[in-house]
Amino acid sequence: MELTDTIYVIDASLSMRKAHADFRPNKLLAIVNLVSKAAARKIQELKGRVGLVAFYGIAFPILPPTDRLEAVMRSLSLITRTDEGSAIGDAIIEAAKLLRGSHRRKEIIVLTDGDLNMGAPLELAVAFAHNTGCWTCIITMGQKDRIKIAQELNLLAKTGMIEWRHVEDMKGALATLFQCSGVQP
């Protein structure tokens, strides 16, 4: 079994404050809950290490890779504030920086509702992550026809620099997150 360092990148933009389908009470809190489940399984079952980045108009590196589950849970509990903007590119760059020096498989898993309106261009951020040896999976949620960066994600996925998955509900989000995290449902 290959050991991994995984950075979960969580969108905390204002649009994540809204509910969608069964993402309750809102998308942000639902995603934080899902990440807590995936992180616990990743650490306990796969001996992986987990780190966190959150973003809205700017990106916040919150936790470098650790196998201390209590540190992950405490850090996840801090991701409650939302604000304007969506700098997904900056967040991917910060995640790749947190993985510098890792001798494990380096993974970046982004959870977003697919808006991008500031910060580093997505294609450059993805290229940076790819060129530093990071595997990146971007999971978008919500109505697919409302994902503003869908066309760009599709093109990037065709280059092989990222995997892009889209989910419409919590069941799909949990299954997709577990699959990208290498955790069995």
Side-chain angles (χ1 to χ4, degrees):
M1 170 177 51
E2 185 176 23
L3 296 176
T4 61
D5 281 345
T6 303
I7 305 296
Y8 292 102
V9 177
I10 300 173
D11 184 344
S13 63
L14 283 177
S15 60
M16 293 294 285
R17 231 181 4 199
K18 299 176 185 170
H20 170 76
D22 58 348
F23 290 90
R24 302 281 180 211
N26 59 49
K27 291 180 280 187
L28 176 61
L29 294 178
I31 290 306
V32 166
N33 183 41
L34 292 179
V35 169
S36 71
K37 292 176 183 177
R41 302 268 306 268
K42 187 97 173 162
I43 290 169
Q44 293 169 339
E45 296 173 19
L46 302 176
K47 306 300 181 217
R49 296 188 305 194
V50 171
L52 300 168
V53 171
F55 70 95
Y56 40 80
I58 55 177
F60 301 94
I62 298 171
L63 182 69
T66 182
D67 59 2
R68 295 182 358 258
L69 184 57
E70 66 281 355
V72 174
M73 296 306 166
R74 187 173 46 254
S75 297
L76 279 168
S77 73
L78 299 174
I79 305 174
T80 57
R81 181 172 181 237
T82 58
D83 209 334
E84 292 184 5
S86 188
I88 188 172
D90 291 354
I92 291 170
I93 290 168
E94 290 299 331
K97 287 178 182 178
L98 286 176
L99 291 167
R100 282 185 181 157
S102 172
H103 299 293
R104 297 172 170 220
R105 176 179 156 86
K106 300 185 277 187
E107 303 173 339
I108 299 171
I109 300 176
V110 181
L111 298 115
T112 180
D113 61 2
D115 200 0
L116 167 66
N117 60 14
M118 51 192 358
L122 184 57
E123 66 275 8
L124 296 180
V126 165
F128 175 74
H130 180 76
N131 292 334
T132 58
C134 298
W135 172 83
T136 303
C137 180
I138 299 177
I139 303 170
T140 55
M141 69 199 75
Q143 293 178 280
K144 197 167 189 176
D145 61 343
R146 293 191 179 183
I147 305 299
K148 295 180 180 176
I149 58 173
Q151 184 176 7
E152 188 172 5
L153 290 172
N154 193 40
L155 290 172
L156 287 168
K158 287 180 181 178
T159 69
M161 287 195 291
I162 66 163
E163 283 190 36
W164 172 40
R165 313 277 179 86
H166 180 77
V167 298
E168 301 258 345
D169 58 26
M170 284 291 286
K171 184 178 178 182
L174 183 62
T176 301
L177 181 57
F178 275 20
Q179 186 178 39
C180 288
S181 299
V183 175
Q184 295 299 318

